């Protein structure tokens, strides 16, 4: 911390002294941002190559989203769901049409939306599939990341996420990711849902084989199991299509969105499905005070408009392919693999080169902000508004660090 300015050191010390140590941030304080750029309190400029774990696909303080939020702030911010508001209906219509679904249920964070999908699958299992009371099973994948609630960490295969937090909710089974036979074998008459990320991002950008999601679709249809697709990190144009399942041409029964749904300005998440699934929820079965608040819905409408009108899926596909080509062309002695889709890219560091964190620290020193995931992988996930020139700027620095 010696190299830090007095101002930066003061902010970090305050945060470390009064804030729980449940994160290990890089030693930088961000006090201003615009587009792909962020600034520290001394005015130093950095490129954001993380986008708050893909929550800022539209770029920091996107003007369209800012304008929508400012305008809404002069009207009404919170109504609760005890009353209707004039933003939630238009937001629902826009998002369910985009997903190819019929109905949505809004929450705030990703983990809450995952919990909602789990409750939905269980209730559907009891009410529609005819599973005996208390017997519903949900299948998940090893190396999953779906959030941090007690139920969700209960089916994590990462020991640290579980350690000290039991006892856990029963009714979950783990199978290997990208293994259709394992899915076939794990399904029983009590299976109500299969919860999966289309790309395992937190686990180190682990890609499924081509055809995996199509296989999932087929098996779930044959066995009357809901395919629940967690698109919280991969969705909303990040991978070069609006949703990552579209790369495989197979649509899920239940989709979970979060992060970039609020344009990086308001937290908003949701679960979307067909009516024949969602209609198991009756008034009082589930809810959230802030879920569907007019401020978040106004942000959501604008955030989706920016993705659609700005053709950010196409931009992510084009810029992602360019970025990945540049990374592969490095032929770095430290790099074992470069993988990803669109602008969700993982660079895996060779075991003999040590962990990914020192490389992230060195990149930060040069002005490129990214974060290691699962010790050996550097994740590059810039805002989807990034230009070729900005990628070139970053590549100059990446080259200095990795070569
Ligand atoms: C795939 C996936 N699901 C769920 C979550 C949890 O979202 P939140 O942190 O908003 O609760 C995340 C967050 O990183 C995620 O990447």
């Amino acid at each position: 911390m010696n190299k830090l300015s007095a101002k930066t050191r003061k902010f970090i010390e305050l945060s470390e002294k009064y804030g729980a140590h449940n994160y290990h941030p890089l030693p930088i304080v961000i006090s201003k941002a615009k587009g792909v750029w962020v600034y520290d309190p001394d005015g130093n400029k950095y490129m954001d190559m993380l986008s708050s774990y893909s929550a800022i696909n539209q770029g920091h303080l996107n003007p369209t989203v800012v304008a929508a939020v400012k305008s809404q702030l002069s009207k009404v911010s919170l109504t609760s769901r005890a009353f209707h508001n004039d933003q939630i209906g238009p937001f629902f219509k826009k998002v369910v049409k985009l997903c190819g679904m019929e109905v949505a249920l809004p929450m705030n964070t990703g983990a809450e939306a995952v919990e909602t999908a789990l409750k939905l699958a269980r209730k559907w299992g009891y009410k529609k599939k005819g599973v005996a009371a208390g017997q519903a099973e949900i299948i998940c994948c090893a190396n999953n990341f779906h959030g941090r609630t007690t139920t969700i960490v209960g089916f994590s295969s990462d020991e640290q996420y579980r350690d000290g937090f039991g006892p856990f909710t029963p009714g979950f089974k783990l199978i290997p990711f990208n293994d259709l036979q394992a899915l076939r074998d794990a399904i029983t008459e009590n299976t109500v849902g299969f919860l999966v990320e289309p790309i395992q991002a937190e686990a180190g950008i682990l890609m499924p084989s081509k055809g995996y999601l199509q296989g999932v679709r087929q098996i779930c249809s044959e066995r009357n199991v809901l395919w629940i697709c967690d698109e919280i990190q991969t969705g909303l144009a990040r991978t070069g299509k609006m949703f990552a399942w579209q790369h495989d041409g197979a649509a899920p029964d239940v989709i979970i969105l979060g992060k970039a749904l609020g344009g990086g300005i308001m937290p908003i998440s949701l679960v979307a499905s067909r009516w024949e699934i969602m209609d198991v929820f009756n008034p009082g079965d589930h809810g959230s005070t802030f879920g569907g608040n007019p401020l978040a819905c106004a942000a959501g409408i604008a955030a989706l408009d920016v993705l659609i009108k700005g053709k950010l899926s196409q931009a992510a596909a084009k810029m992602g392919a360019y970025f990945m080509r540049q990374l592969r062309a490095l032929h770095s002695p430290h790099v074992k693999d470069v993988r990803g889709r669109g602008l969700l890219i993982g660079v895996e560091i060779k075991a003999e080169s040590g962990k990914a964190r020192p490389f992230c620290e060195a990149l930060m020193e040069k002005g490129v902000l990214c974060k290691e995931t699962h010790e050996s992988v550097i994740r590059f996930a810039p805002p989807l508004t990034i230009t070729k020139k900005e990628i070139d700027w970053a590549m100059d620095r990446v080259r200095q660090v990795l070569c």
Side-chain angles (χ1 to χ4, degrees), residues 2 44 58 94-95 105 108 183 226 257 334 375-376 393:
N2 288 344
N44 298 310
Q58 298 84 348
K94 190 172 271 288
V95 76
L105 192 163
N108 310 284
L183 176 60
L226 298 181
L257 295 178
H334 304 296
E375 297 208 336
S376 62
W393 185 95

Side-chain angles (χ1 to χ4, degrees), residues 16 37 51 66 109 140 154 161 168 170 176 226 233-234 237 290-291 331 345 348 354 373 382-383 387:
E16 295 291 314
W37 300 101
S51 310
V66 169
T109 64
C140 313
Y161 295 171
F168 298 114
L226 298 181
Q233 184 158 169
T234 51
F290 279 84
H331 300 295
I345 301 173
E348 185 172 351
T373 177
T387 62

Side-chain angles (χ1 to χ4, degrees), residues 45-94:
K45 172 174 156 175
Y46 303 79
M47 186 180 287
D48 183 357
M49 277 278 178
L50 182 64
S51 310
S52 293
Y53 304 100
S54 298
I56 311 182
N57 290 359
Q58 298 84 348
H60 285 275
L61 296 181
N62 182 284
T64 305
V65 187
V66 169
V69 169
K70 276 190 177 162
S71 159
Q72 188 58 37
L73 265 179
S74 65
K75 297 173 192 158
V76 60
S77 64
L78 183 62
T79 55
S80 82
R81 297 294 302 280
F83 315 110
H84 290 278
N85 72 66
D86 63 358
Q87 297 299 307
I88 197 168
F91 171 67
F92 281 154
K93 184 173 176 191
K94 190 172 271 288

Side-chain angles (χ1 to χ4, degrees), residues 101-107 111-131 136-138 151 172 190-195 224-229 252-257 270-282 285-287:
M101 293 293 181
E102 293 173 348
V103 52
L105 192 163
M107 299 296 280
E112 283 175 295
V114 172
E115 288 278 351
T116 303
L118 300 175
K119 287 174 75 175
L120 177 64
R122 282 182 168 187
K123 202 149 189 107
W124 171 86
Y126 296 125
K127 289 205 160 181
K128 300 266 171 120
K129 184 168 173 170
V131 172
E137 291 169 356
I138 293 177
T151 290
F172 296 94
N190 294 328
T191 307
V192 297
F194 174 51
L195 171 66
N224 196 21
V225 166
L226 298 181
W227 168 19
I228 308 163
C229 195
D253 299 300
V254 177
I255 176 167
I256 313 173
L257 295 178
L270 60 78
V271 172
S273 71
R274 299 184 301 280
W275 264 117
E276 60 178 332
I277 299 168
M278 195 72 83
D279 68 5
V280 299
F281 278 145
N282 290 312
D285 283 346
H286 190 58

